[in-house]
Amino acid sequence: MLSPDYKQVALITKNKPSWQANKLNGIGGKIESGETPSEAMAREFEEETGVITSPNEWVKFVVLIRQSIYEVNLLLLG
């Protein structure tokens, strides 16, 4: 989640895994089977912050792809 002027970002302090403990991280997580990236973001955002959003509020900003290794969807609350 970014501020309207794109100068501030919401981050969380990780508790686990231990190698990430006390480090800042973006809010989000893995897409579960059958979920769209927007549905996953709304679910993860609520789980990690307690703030309820709707999947249709999330807009895909960029997708980072490393062929056959990973795909990262970055979404903004629109």
Side-chain angles (χ1 to χ4, degrees):
M1 175 181 267
L2 296 171
S3 64
D5 63 5
Y6 297 102
K7 292 184 179 182
Q8 297 178 345
V9 62
L11 300 172
I12 58 169
T13 302
K14 296 289 284 187
N15 295 324
K16 56 185 178 180
S18 60
W19 65 273
Q20 286 186 342
N22 299 312
K23 294 183 178 164
L24 294 175
N25 196 19
I27 298 165
K30 293 185 179 181
I31 299 172
E32 294 181 356
S33 179
E35 275 186 323
T36 66
S38 297
E39 290 168 338
M41 190 63 227
R43 177 184 51 77
E44 289 283 352
F45 197 81
E46 181 178 358
E47 288 175 3
E48 295 182 9
T49 69
V51 176
I52 298 171
T53 62
S54 172
N56 64 1
E57 294 179 89
W58 292 97
V59 178
K60 194 176 289 186
F61 177 69
V62 69
V63 180
L64 306 173
I65 299 172
R66 185 163 179 195
Q67 288 291 349
S68 304
I69 299 175
Y70 61 78
E71 179 175 313
V72 178
N73 293 268
L74 301 174
L75 293 95
L76 300 175
L77 192 59

